[in-house]
Every structure is written in structure tokens, then in C-alpha cells.
Amino acid sequence: MLFLVFYHLIGFSLEVQVHQSPSDLITEAGVDVRMSCGHGQSDHRVMLWYRRLKSHTALTLLGYGYAEFNNNSVEAAFRKHFQLAGDLTNVRPSGSLTIRDPKPLEHTATYFCAARDRCANYEAYFGQGTKLTVLEPNRTAIPPTVRVLKPSPNEGGQTRTLVCVATDFYPDHVSVSWTVNGNKRLSGVATDAAATRLDDFYRITSRLTVYVKEWQNRGKDFACVVDFFNGTETVNRIDSIRGVKGRLLFERKYLRIAQNAKLAYCAFIVKSCVYGAFVVFLLWKLQKSRKTEK
């Protein structure tokens, strides 16, 4: 029997923590792959495996087992390529999903393991999923090129938006994060939900919004970090940009200079007035002295 479970059922529970590994898999066509699942709730002995294709938001049941897996554990439509195994009678039930002779179009997907009690109406608890890419013919993993763009000069208001663009990578096993002066920044970050494919490669963007005061500071270093899984290890590609000399700082400096100039001018005027009064006094004194001599 084949049925669908909607993606919003996926979640994590304080009662049953389902551990699934690995989180990412990349393989060549025809090379078998295996993913594992386990948890510590002995009364949750029903283990289910689902698949979500890139073009779907729903999960498709691949198979399940209760207490043990057997030849009928996999749904009939998937028995050619999928095999389930494991020990569900243990205090810590565990299982595995093996995909035999995988194909790029058919088996590139995200796979989820779930556990529940034998009662059908009980909630199922899901693992984090395993993202699998079966490489297309004659292709290898290529890491992204990363570039951080300055905020638009037309952007107004009290904030500025930096844009990170990661391009020309394959496959799409990436995650994006931001740091400011080496410290990870979570607030103000908005990243595309998924990478977009353009021809033979992928592209993903992320945005970091900061306050004007922070951007207009040359002491700030804004870095975009893109982690890329190449099938063997996770490598990162980084690009960064420094804050700029702010107009506000320039205006403050200009106002300070102007204020000092104004004070100096006022002092000059006062001194000139005093000097002028002194000259007038001397002239008056001289004139009075001449009258007395006559």
C-alpha cells in the first residue's frame, strides 16, 4: 500500500529523539548507499522510511517494520531498489535503508526515518533526514564561488542590506551563514529556502540586514560563509566586505570643524571690537591732550 504523509508532520520530540545519519550523501550512479536510524524508546518499535523528491512537498512511504524487518517490509513499488534491515526488538531500536543501483533522476531525494508505537493513531517522530544526490553522468562535485555585494546606494531608512551570492556549484549540498568580526550573526539573516538550478549548476542567495550605524563603521568585517559537502567532506567558501566610512561620521566631523571655526570667528570679532575701542580711546586721549596744551 502506498500513501502520503504531509511534510508538516516532521518534527522533533522531547520524548523520542530519532537519530538519523548521515545528513548528506553523494554517490555515483549504480553505487549502493546506506543510511542508518535509531532511538532510545523501546516501546516505539515501528520504524518507517519515507522519501521526499525535490519536486514534492509530501512524503512517500517506502516501507516499515514492526519488531523485525522482512521481505515484505518494503512497499511493492520500491522493492527493486530499496532494502530495509535492523533490530527493532532491542532496548534501543535501530534500522537501516539501503538503496541498490541508484539512479540520478529516480533516487536523488531526501529520506526520512520515523518511529512510533504500534498503534496506528500514535504520533510518529522523525529524524532530521538524509539528503542524497546521485551524480549525473560524467559529473563531479564542484564548490561554489561566493561574493558579497554592498548595499544599494538607493536604500533608505535606518538599515542597510548586504547580499551574498553563491554560484556555479554542483550538487546543491550547501548551507549559508554570516559572521560579523568573526562572530556568527543570526538576526537579520534571510536565506533562500533552497538553491536554484540554472543550466548545469546551482545558485543560492542570502541577505544580512544591519543598522546604518553598524555598516558605516570601518572596523566591522561582514563575512558570508558557504559550507559545501563534496561527497567526502564539508568545505567552506568565504567572502567578506568591510564597513564604509559613514556619512554621519563625516557630518559630525564637519559640524565640529564648523563650530570651532564659528567660535574662532566670534573670538576674532570680540578682539577686533576691543582693539577698535582701545584705538578710539587713544585718539580721544590724544585729542584731549592737544587741547590742554593750547
Side-chain angles (χ1 to χ4, degrees):
M1 178 183 68
L2 176 66
F3 62 89
L4 301 179
V5 177
F6 289 102
Y7 181 58
H8 72 264
L9 290 178
I10 298 175
F12 305 97
S13 168
L14 296 177
E15 298 177 1
V16 181
Q17 294 292 329
V18 177
H19 304 284
Q20 186 176 337
S21 64
S23 58
D24 289 87
L25 273 173
I26 297 177
T27 186
E28 295 180 356
V31 178
D32 296 358
V33 293
R34 180 177 179 272
M35 52 200 79
S36 301
C37 180
H39 61 85
Q41 198 75 15
S42 60
D43 58 347
H44 281 58
R45 295 185 177 180
V46 178
M47 183 169 288
L48 310 97
W49 286 91
Y50 297 92
R51 179 178 70 179
R52 188 188 74 216
L53 297 172
K54 284 187 176 181
S55 57
H56 294 73
T57 57
L59 302 181
T60 301
L61 179 68
L62 299 173
Y64 68 96
Y66 170 66
E68 64 178 10
F69 290 108
N70 54 50
N71 293 334
N72 295 321
S73 297
V74 178
E75 297 292 291
F78 302 105
R79 289 175 187 168
K80 180 180 178 180
H81 293 280
F82 295 90
Q83 179 180 349
L84 300 181
D87 184 1
L88 304 181
T89 63
N90 197 290
V91 176
R92 300 183 63 85
S94 62
S96 65
L97 169 65
T98 299
I99 306 177
R100 300 186 301 269
D101 189 26
K103 310 297 182 184
L105 295 179
E106 186 177 349
H107 298 112
T108 293
T110 302
Y111 296 84
F112 294 93
C113 166
R116 66 168 174 81
D117 192 274
R118 61 181 180 178
C119 295
N121 59 343
Y122 277 23
E123 182 178 3
Y125 300 95
F126 283 76
Q128 295 181 334
T130 297
K131 184 174 183 177
L132 169 66
T133 292
V134 182
L135 295 173
E136 297 165 7
N138 302 317
R139 300 209 63 181
T140 59
I142 300 177
T145 298
V146 180
R147 185 183 177 192
V148 176
L149 306 179
K150 292 182 179 180
S152 168
N154 299 322
E155 188 174 6
Q158 299 300 312
T159 61
R160 295 293 181 267
T161 303
L162 289 74
V163 179
C164 175
V165 183
T167 59
D168 300 328
F169 58 92
Y170 173 84
D172 59 336
H173 290 241
V174 294
S175 63
V176 185
S177 60
W178 288 86
T179 64
V180 179
N181 284 354
N183 299 313
K184 192 168 185 177
R185 178 65 62 88
L186 298 177
S187 61
V189 174
T191 303
D192 296 345
T196 302
R197 180 152 183 169
L198 300 173
D199 297 326
D200 292 333
F201 297 96
Y202 286 92
R203 169 192 176 98
I204 193 170
T205 63
S206 180
R207 294 152 294 283
L208 173 64
T209 301
V210 298
Y211 286 106
V212 173
K213 183 178 180 181
E214 188 173 23
W215 167 242
Q216 294 180 344
N217 183 342
R218 285 182 173 177
K220 294 288 187 178
D221 181 79
F222 305 90
C224 175
V225 182
V226 180
D227 292 322
F228 174 77
F229 180 69
N230 61 17
T232 303
E233 61 180 348
T234 298
V235 298
N236 56 54
R237 294 292 184 268
I238 303 173
D239 189 35
S240 63
I241 190 171
R242 298 197 71 85
V244 298
K245 184 177 181 181
R247 182 181 299 174
L248 293 177
L249 296 177
F250 173 79
E251 290 177 351
R252 290 173 184 172
K253 184 177 181 180
Y254 174 80
L255 290 175
R256 185 165 59 250
I257 294 175
Q259 188 175 14
N260 291 337
K262 185 185 293 185
L263 291 174
Y265 179 74
C266 291
F268 173 77
I269 295 297
V270 171
K271 288 180 179 180
S272 298
C273 291
V274 172
Y275 179 77
F278 178 69
V279 171
V280 171
F281 174 76
L282 289 178
L283 292 174
W284 175 79
K285 194 76 173 174
L286 180 62
Q287 187 178 11
K288 185 178 180 180
S289 175
R290 288 176 178 177
K291 288 182 179 180
T292 302
E293 290 179 354
K294 291 179 179 181

